Amino acid sequence: VSAEIRQITSLTNPEIKKIRSLAQRKYREEEKLFITEGLRHALEAAEAGWAFRTLVIEENVKDKDLVRRLLDACAKQNPLILEVPAHIMESISKRDNAQNVITVLEQKWMALEDAQNHEGLWVALEEIRDPGNLGTIMRTADATGAKGIILIENTCDPYSLEAIRASMGSFPHVRLVRCSRQDFMTWAEKIKWPVIGTHLKTTHDYRAVSYKFPAVLLMGNEQAGLTDELAQACTALVKIPMRGKADSLNVSVATAVMLFEMNKAELKI
Ligand code: SAM
């Protein structure tokens, strides 16, 4: 690899400060960038064609085979490559024993109007707030071949460290759209795909429906569930029956149950 690698040892280096600032949503949105940790996730992103801005590698790993493969895979993009000691890796990832490769990538968002060019099953999430739930849903959406995720109104950021971590390397394979509640309703009415909402107040068993694609699976907020406005915009409301004393399932668990049920004809080992 002939790329130029800059050695940095100070936490106050401006490039390192800029990367550390990406822990905050405000800067991620301003810069349209985000961080991913780990070599395998970076390789997946490189192979899926994501745009690399910066590659931060821990001292003494640049000659490892997989690191060389990553450097080769993104060489054409000519990213900034920084070699740093372990404590700088830890300060970026905000935890001990950080991974030895951290990359800064450009965010990708798809416009709502372009979602219909990818016919299949889409997941829509109203005001999801927990990045661990969102990352887990990204991972399950990838595993079940969903076309992408539509984030409605005020949701947590899919590009936060926590959400990207929880997506476990699935983030490069999940299209992301964000829109207001009103835009979602206008779009859904226009394209006429069935919108399957999940709701605790319905008595309609999720297994009693025969699902056809294209379709949208709509999930509600962790505390409040679906708003009445969106529930009324659904073609059908379904519920996963429960025993015991729990009054609901975690939203990422409920999404997984729904995605596997809706895809059961498609998924074969
Ligand atoms: N108190 C909220 C309510 O009454 O809707 C609980 C919301 S629940 C934790 C978050 C979301 O997960 C729900 O809006 C729904 O989309 C989904 N969910 C949770 N349990 C479900 C179930 N048993 N059947 C269908 N969806 C469920």
Side-chain angles (χ1 to χ4, degrees), residues 6-266:
R6 279 173 51 192
Q7 261 95 23
I8 292 180
T9 51
S10 162
L11 271 177
T12 57
N13 171 283
E15 288 302 337
I16 299 296
K17 278 169 111 174
K18 220 165 92 186
I19 297 170
R20 292 177 69 205
S21 76
L22 298 175
Q24 291 174 55
R25 184 173 195 165
K26 175 172 175 272
Y27 293 111
R28 284 195 298 275
E29 300 212 327
E30 269 172 32
E31 302 289 328
K32 301 187 176 57
L33 297 174
F34 71 105
I35 291 169
T36 176
E37 302 158 286
L39 186 53
R40 286 187 183 277
H41 297 177
L43 268 169
E44 289 223 11
E47 279 154 17
W50 283 60
F52 280 66
R53 279 295 181 81
T54 312
L55 240 133
V56 190
I57 53 178
E58 193 178 327
E59 288 168 338
N60 308 323
V61 300
K62 66 172 178 290
D63 294 325
K64 289 196 172 167
D65 282 352
L66 280 179
V67 177
R68 295 181 76 85
R69 204 170 114 200
L70 175 65
L71 292 171
D72 283 343
C74 55
K76 271 203 213 95
Q77 302 193 33
N78 202 20
L80 182 64
I81 306 175
L82 310 175
E83 194 176 30
V84 307
H87 77 274
I88 295 192
M89 302 302 279
E90 287 168 1
S91 82
I92 298 172
S93 74
K94 313 236 174 288
R95 61 177 179 186
D96 297 340
N97 288 323
Q99 303 264 5
N100 49 25
V101 172
I102 289 176
T103 45
V104 178
L105 306 176
E106 288 176 20
Q107 297 188 6
K108 274 202 233 178
W109 292 97
M110 175 171 276
L112 185 56
E113 309 76 67
D114 295 331
Q116 63 253 39
N117 300 329
H118 303 271
E119 282 204 9
L121 180 56
W122 280 80
V123 183
L125 305 171
E126 185 182 26
E127 304 228 310
I128 187 157
R129 288 292 157 77
D130 182 296
N133 284 342
L134 179 50
T136 305
I137 293 171
M138 287 157 79
R139 183 178 180 185
T140 312
D142 176 25
T144 51
K147 296 297 169 190
I149 298 180
I150 302 171
L151 299 168
I152 304 173
E153 210 66 44
N154 295 314
T155 68
C156 59
D157 183 6
Y159 287 116
S160 66
L161 265 177
E162 298 87 335
I164 294 294
R165 247 175 222 160
S167 85
M168 291 296 289
S170 280
F171 74 86
H173 314 299
V174 181
R175 298 177 185 90
L176 292 171
V177 171
R178 55 181 163 184
C179 63
S180 67
R181 199 173 278 116
Q182 187 53 53
D183 287 349
F184 176 79
M185 291 192 297
T186 311
W187 174 78
E189 209 179 290
K190 196 176 83 202
I191 60 161
K192 299 192 167 50
W193 291 357
V195 178
I196 311 296
T198 48
H199 209 290
L200 292 158
K201 290 212 180 96
T202 180
T203 53
H204 208 170
D205 188 317
Y206 78 115
R207 294 163 299 188
V209 177
S210 96
Y211 300 103
K212 287 198 183 63
F213 298 164
V216 182
L217 167 67
L218 176 58
M219 308 298 297
N221 165 271
E222 289 92 339
Q223 261 84 50
L226 282 182
T227 53
D228 291 346
E229 228 181 334
L230 276 193
Q232 277 156 19
C234 290
T235 326
L237 290 176
V238 297
K239 178 177 176 179
I240 304 161
M242 294 176 291
R243 279 193 178 152
K245 299 257 185 300
D247 55 12
S248 67
L249 298 169
N250 165 285
V251 64
S252 65
V253 171
T255 308
V257 172
M258 286 301 302
L259 284 175
F260 280 96
E261 177 67 19
M262 294 175 87
N263 273 292
K264 77 180 174 203
E266 308 287 326

